[in-house]
Amino acid sequence: KAGALLILRSAEARELPEDIRLGVAELLHSHREEDIRLMAEQLMPRDAMATGEPLPPLADLLAMNGDPERGKMVFFSADRAQCARCHMVGTEGKEVGPTLTKIGEKFGKEGLYESILNPNAAVSHEYQVWIVETDDFEFVNGYIRAETEEYLEMMDAAGVLQRIDKAKITERTKSATSLMPTGLSAGM
């Protein structure tokens, strides 16, 4: 119990590393002590679904069978998760983030859930987000698509490609967050 309380204290102080947050939350939500479960619900609430209901525990999600037609509707729908704004499946969607045509061959169900529910936990190096400040106090954030000695080409979350003259860059900082937003389960 003492270990769970220490973890909850870290969560409350926002000191819990993103890459373990989802797994730790699942453990705390299923802890044998009711007071730990209640504190976990307050400090680390489960994501909600489109219905407003909290998501089931990860173990329950993993045991469910997918519905390809419903998944396609959620993926391409403009008023749901809007995955196609950034990802392609086959020839449909936009190429802002990784193409997802064969993502099921790369990750199992648990890895896919982790990527959707906690997109900041593991960002592939080619999609690492950077914040660039220029000498005219403009800030640009996105991932680097191309870099030469003269310029930096960055893609932002809206899919806008921007070329920045490197001579104008005053600061370049690696971001701790992904371009992929959190809370996507609310659109599912």
Side-chain angles (χ1 to χ4, degrees):
K1 185 173 178 174
L5 290 170
L6 284 172
I7 292 170
L8 286 165
R9 187 173 298 142
S10 292
E12 185 173 31
R14 301 192 186 283
E15 297 170 349
L16 202 60
E18 280 293 324
D19 59 337
I20 65 167
R21 189 171 178 78
L22 183 64
V24 167
E26 282 299 317
L27 290 172
L28 294 174
H29 281 282
S30 60
H31 197 275
R32 70 178 181 271
E33 301 284 339
E34 183 180 17
D35 59 337
I36 298 293
R37 290 192 307 270
L38 291 171
M39 285 187 274
E41 188 57 43
Q42 286 183 330
L43 294 172
M44 305 169 78
R46 285 196 169 104
D47 286 344
M49 298 182 290
T51 62
E53 296 290 316
L55 277 176
L58 186 57
D60 293 356
L61 290 171
L62 292 171
M64 294 177 182
N65 290 319
D67 179 345
E69 286 305 311
R70 184 169 183 267
K72 184 177 181 178
M73 186 271 303
V74 168
F75 189 92
F76 290 106
S77 178
D79 63 343
R80 299 295 290 272
Q82 301 183 14
C83 308
R85 288 181 57 200
C86 296
H87 299 284
M88 291 187 71
V89 170
T91 59
E92 295 182 70
K94 281 181 79 176
E95 199 171 356
V96 175
T99 298
L100 301 180
T101 304
K102 296 185 180 208
I103 196 70
E105 295 172 14
K106 185 176 179 181
F107 295 110
K109 282 172 82 171
E110 188 167 0
L112 293 172
Y113 277 123
E114 175 79 24
S115 294
I116 294 166
L117 298 175
N118 193 8
N120 297 323
V123 178
S124 181
H125 71 278
E126 66 265 32
Y127 295 101
Q128 175 64 55
V129 176
W130 291 85
I131 302 165
V132 171
E133 183 180 359
T134 63
D135 58 9
D136 57 356
F137 303 105
E138 181 183 355
F139 288 89
V140 179
N141 74 319
Y143 67 89
I144 299 169
R145 287 284 291 249
E147 182 171 7
T148 70
E149 288 184 26
E150 294 84 33
Y151 68 86
L152 194 64
E153 197 172 77
M154 296 181 71
M155 173 79 72
D156 70 12
V160 175
L161 203 56
Q162 187 166 355
R163 187 175 284 192
I164 305 161
D165 182 355
K166 283 180 106 174
K168 293 179 69 67
I169 295 174
T170 58
E171 192 171 348
R172 180 171 158 174
T173 309
K174 193 182 281 191
S175 174
T177 62
S178 166
L179 283 182
M180 186 166 153
T182 57
L184 293 173
S185 62
M188 297 181 181

